[in-house]
Amino acid sequence: MSEQPVTLSEAAAKRIAEIVSADASKQALRVSVEGGGCSGFSYKFDLVEAPQDDDLVIAKGDAKVLIDSLSLVYMTGSEIDFVDNLLGQSFQIKNPNAVASCGCGTSFSI
């Protein structure tokens, strides 16, 4: 079995499974990269019903993450994590391709 180009932490998988189970019409979390944000690119998170033809599907336990082929170019080698600390709860992308990121953690540059 080949290694996934993007990985999912246990904490992220657990949180995604919780979120998706609360909405019977949604099956997965879509993570995409868009132009914009204070560093040039930003991550977008959406609950979706089904994968598209060009999606990478990452499954871990009851969690499923979808990443389109264009976004995957910017995310290869990344880990999707979920952090719950004094500053709040959020999904974070640990992206080795990013040369800079902003304080919010959702915007980056390559």
Side-chain angles (χ1 to χ4, degrees), residues 31-71:
V31 180
S32 56
V33 174
E34 297 183 332
C38 49
S39 293
F41 293 99
S42 62
Y43 298 110
K44 183 177 177 191
F45 301 91
D46 294 297
L47 291 176
V48 296
E49 295 177 12
Q52 300 295 316
D53 291 340
D54 71 335
D55 284 343
L56 167 70
V57 179
I58 303 166
K60 188 170 197 169
D62 292 332
K64 190 184 297 182
V65 172
L66 310 175
I67 303 172
D68 64 88
S69 60
L70 184 58
S71 296

Side-chain angles (χ1 to χ4, degrees), residues 8-108:
L8 192 58
S9 74
E10 289 295 333
K14 181 180 176 187
R15 185 63 182 138
I16 292 165
E18 290 170 357
I19 292 168
V20 172
S21 70
D23 187 342
S25 69
K26 306 299 181 189
Q27 295 183 5
L29 178 71
R30 173 175 299 287
V31 180
S32 56
V33 174
E34 297 183 332
C38 49
S39 293
F41 293 99
S42 62
Y43 298 110
K44 183 177 177 191
F45 301 91
D46 294 297
L47 291 176
V48 296
E49 295 177 12
Q52 300 295 316
D53 291 340
D54 71 335
D55 284 343
L56 167 70
V57 179
I58 303 166
K60 188 170 197 169
D62 292 332
K64 190 184 297 182
V65 172
L66 310 175
I67 303 172
D68 64 88
S69 60
L70 184 58
S71 296
L72 186 59
V73 171
Y74 299 103
M75 293 182 64
T76 296
S78 297
E79 179 186 45
I80 301 169
D81 193 13
F82 180 75
V83 177
D84 184 356
N85 59 29
L86 291 174
L87 299 174
Q89 298 180 337
S90 65
F91 286 104
Q92 294 183 358
I93 311 289
K94 297 174 184 173
N95 189 338
N97 304 307
V99 296
S101 61
C102 68
C104 67
T106 61
S107 181
F108 67 101

